[in-house]
Amino acid sequence: PNLGVVRVDAERSFVIADVPGLIEGAAEGAGLGHQFLRHLSRTSLLLHLVDIAPFDEATDPVAEAKAIVNELKKYDEELYNKPRWLVLNKTDMVEDSKDVIKKFVQDYGCKGPVFAISAISGVGCKELTYAMMDHLDEVKKTALELETKEIDPPEQAKNEPIITEEHQDFN
């Protein structure tokens, strides 16, 4: 995977991992499957980037996208259940892009957020970047709240003094 830093503004940034070439059979070790999938396990958000204007007309982007999701599920149920957003790229290269996007989302059965972008022209990329940053900020906030949440000690321990070596009288 290729790692990069996405700078949203002067105070906010995040690390992104580009995992290219995940193929059908990756969960069984095809290609660099296990190495790539292991990297995905350390992320808090998955972006499923799909080109809706494939190079080959015989290619079915929906079938290919579903195959990748199946690889995630076969490899690790926890990875499969991570937040996953659908990012449809090359929207500038298809006629009637709104109709193509709508049909793709319907055929794919997407239930999460969907972003339509053109990586080459930048259309939709800023909105995606800010949505990712907002999501990651929320994940951090939730994790911090869980860490700092006070848990009451058991009743019997509440009134007992805490004695450390520094405070004990050894005479």
Side-chain angles (χ1 to χ4, degrees):
N2 299 307
L3 299 178
V5 175
V6 177
R7 183 151 315 278
V8 177
D9 54 41
E11 301 295 320
R12 299 178 353 164
S13 64
F14 57 90
V15 175
I16 191 164
D18 177 18
V19 182
L22 195 60
I23 60 171
E24 196 166 359
E28 290 83 29
L32 295 173
H34 280 234
Q35 292 172 347
F36 284 170
L37 289 166
R38 192 171 34 249
H39 284 287
L40 292 178
S41 299
R42 299 190 330 233
T43 64
S44 58
L45 173 65
L46 299 175
L47 300 181
H48 193 160
L49 183 66
V50 179
D51 290 341
I52 60 171
F55 289 117
D56 182 0
E57 291 296 321
T59 301
D60 180 2
V62 173
E64 288 191 349
K66 285 181 176 182
I68 297 302
V69 172
N70 287 334
E71 292 303 317
L72 296 177
K73 190 170 190 175
K74 284 192 268 182
Y75 179 75
D76 182 12
E77 191 75 25
E78 190 175 321
L79 179 60
Y80 171 77
N81 288 319
K82 281 185 183 263
R84 185 173 57 249
W85 296 356
L86 180 61
V87 181
L88 301 175
N89 187 31
K90 297 187 179 179
T91 56
D92 57 328
M93 296 182 67
V94 293
E95 291 183 35
D96 303 320
S97 63
K98 287 184 181 184
D99 293 336
V100 172
I101 292 165
K102 184 177 178 180
K103 181 167 177 21
F104 185 98
V105 170
Q106 181 181 359
D107 292 348
Y108 180 72
C110 185
K111 293 174 180 47
V114 178
F115 293 84
I117 69 165
S118 169
I120 199 161
S121 71
V123 171
C125 293
K126 184 176 182 179
E127 293 81 3
L128 173 60
T129 302
Y130 277 92
M132 291 167 60
M133 187 78 252
D134 290 345
H135 174 81
L136 296 172
D137 285 345
E138 188 61 35
V139 168
K140 285 179 191 174
K141 179 182 170 190
T142 302
L144 186 60
E145 287 172 356
L146 289 173
E147 284 179 17
T148 59
K149 189 174 186 177
E150 289 186 11
I151 301 172
D152 285 336
E155 280 299 315
Q156 63 189 23
K158 282 185 179 181
N159 297 323
E160 293 177 10
I162 298 173
I163 301 173
T164 63
E165 274 189 34
E166 299 89 37
H167 296 98
Q168 290 183 12
D169 183 7
F170 291 105
N171 294 333

